[in-house]
Amino acid sequence: MARIAGIDLPKKKRVDVGLTAIYGIGRHQATEICTKANVDVATLTDNLTEADVSRLREVIDGEHKVEGDLRRQVSANIKRLMDLGCYRGLRHRRGLPVRGQRTHTNARTRKGPRKAAVKKKRIGGKK
């Protein structure tokens, strides 16, 4: 099993697709990494040799920021925006969409499930 950047690559997938399991690597970067490491894109992750894995690991470690380092950088950027108190930081703090989407309807992913309306009970009889 190929293990790169602390992630086990999925079995029986092409190398370029398997590399996308690593946080920070998409399809385009995965194909570029394979060409730089002289690894055929069509090979399956099960069929990778130790030499192929080590070449892939060297290219990724040398040229790309992935997994823990990238996650830390992204969270530090968001924390910086929140500390500044800018508009984007306030949206992050409130858990609302950051990039200008409408919130009157939709935005349920950021806002969470709908909250039920609270009805007040009337005290006394009919009027």
Side-chain angles (χ1 to χ4, degrees):
M1 172 163 301
R3 187 170 176 87
I4 299 174
I7 299 295
D8 293 328
L9 296 183
K11 295 180 179 181
K12 296 184 182 175
K13 291 203 176 193
R14 290 167 45 118
V15 176
D16 58 342
V17 176
L19 285 176
T20 60
I22 300 171
Y23 182 78
I25 296 179
R27 288 291 299 269
H28 183 71
Q29 277 190 338
T31 54
E32 286 182 352
I33 289 168
C34 289
T35 56
K36 287 179 184 174
N38 295 328
V39 176
D40 185 27
V41 178
T43 58
L44 298 179
T45 53
D46 289 346
N47 300 337
L48 285 174
T49 63
E50 285 300 318
D52 292 339
V53 173
S54 64
R55 285 198 309 267
L56 287 169
R57 197 175 291 132
E58 287 174 9
V59 171
I60 291 172
D61 290 342
E63 300 176 13
H64 298 278
K65 188 176 275 195
V66 292
E67 281 302 321
D69 295 336
L70 184 60
R71 289 181 199 270
R72 267 190 296 281
Q73 182 182 3
V74 169
S75 64
N77 289 342
I78 292 172
K79 186 177 182 320
R80 178 180 52 82
L81 290 171
M82 288 168 42
D83 292 343
L84 283 173
C86 64
Y87 181 78
R88 282 173 58 201
L90 293 176
R91 303 298 282 185
H92 275 291
R93 198 180 304 159
R94 293 178 184 155
L96 293 170
V98 178
R99 297 184 178 179
Q101 296 91 337
R102 68 180 287 135
T103 57
H104 179 71
T105 59
N106 302 331
R108 294 307 346 160
T109 303
R110 284 291 293 186
K111 290 167 71 174
R114 289 186 172 87
K115 294 159 184 86
V118 179
K119 294 183 180 179
K120 293 183 181 178
K121 286 188 177 179
R122 269 194 2 197
I123 300 172
K126 291 184 179 179
K127 286 191 176 182

